[in-house]
Amino acid sequence: MTITRCVDLSAALWLEHRDEDWRRLAARGPRCFDKYARLRFIPDPGHPGQSANNVHAAPDALSDNEQLGVVLTQLARCTGTPDDCYFCIWDGWPSFHIDDPMPKVSIPNRDYFLFHGALADFAEWEVQIKTLLHDIEAPTPAFVWPADHAWCVTCDVDPHFASIGAGSDAIAQLVINPHVDVVVDDPDKEPPYYC
């Protein structure tokens, strides 16, 4: 399979009709799952008052999209629809032109283009999205979810983390994965990133 752009946005209505504050929804995801975790692209600040800008990933660390790929590969086992998944990409990335004719998924203060594919397609995200958008970079998806809504991964443009909402077992397995830095999270509390 390959990742394609969607004209039919009905699969994203569940995001557009959320009651959460838009900032919380865009940064922390929909509040409808049993458990939550954060995939830390860089470590949290180590002491009060330290800025996330002063914390750095190891030189050999995986890129944000590579880390997301590890998480999505594991989450593929936690859905009945791994071949039927959706990816929202924020329309503010330079990859998109202001006159792009494709319809957009909208929450207050954020618009996204919707894409469809299998979770297995994410292994080739960079290549497929660069080709599809005729660009030299592949934006990180803002939301990823399977058609059965078993979980949702959310990654806004500013935070140095992705939020994951899922069942308890899925979160427990992600937290012990040695290839990514995932910690249990409470999406109603500000993460240390905002210190």
Side-chain angles (χ1 to χ4, degrees), residues 35-192:
K35 294 283 182 179
Y36 291 83
R38 274 187 305 119
L39 166 61
R40 300 186 290 195
F41 296 131
I42 62 170
D44 286 338
H47 53 82
Q50 181 181 19
S51 167
N53 294 331
N54 294 325
V55 180
H56 303 286
D60 60 343
L62 300 174
S63 72
D64 293 0
N65 281 341
E66 288 170 331
Q67 292 178 65
L68 279 175
V70 171
V71 167
L72 294 175
T73 296
Q74 190 160 344
L75 287 173
R77 299 180 219 135
C78 303
T79 174
T81 58
D83 294 330
D84 189 7
C85 291
Y86 294 92
F87 309 85
C88 279
I89 301 178
W90 177 53
D91 76 337
W93 285 104
S95 304
F96 300 108
H97 301 287
I98 194 128
D99 58 350
D100 193 308
M102 295 296 282
K104 297 177 187 177
V105 174
S106 294
I107 64 173
N109 299 306
R110 289 280 193 275
D111 290 321
Y112 308 93
F113 291 106
L114 185 63
F115 295 76
H116 180 264
L119 283 176
D121 292 332
F122 199 81
E124 298 295 324
W125 178 260
E126 299 278 334
V127 172
Q128 288 192 47
I129 295 299
K130 286 178 189 178
T131 301
L132 197 58
L133 300 179
H134 308 289
D135 203 347
I136 59 170
E137 75 172 308
T140 300
F143 293 97
V144 180
W145 73 92
D148 66 3
H149 296 201
W151 46 261
C152 184
V153 176
T154 304
C155 185
D156 200 19
V157 294
D158 292 324
H160 297 295
F161 62 85
S163 291
I164 306 158
S168 300
D169 291 343
I171 297 297
Q173 290 303 308
L174 286 170
V175 168
I176 62 170
N177 186 323
H179 304 292
V180 287
D181 182 10
V182 176
V183 294
V184 172
D185 191 31
D186 179 349
D188 292 324
K189 295 182 179 176
E190 292 296 327

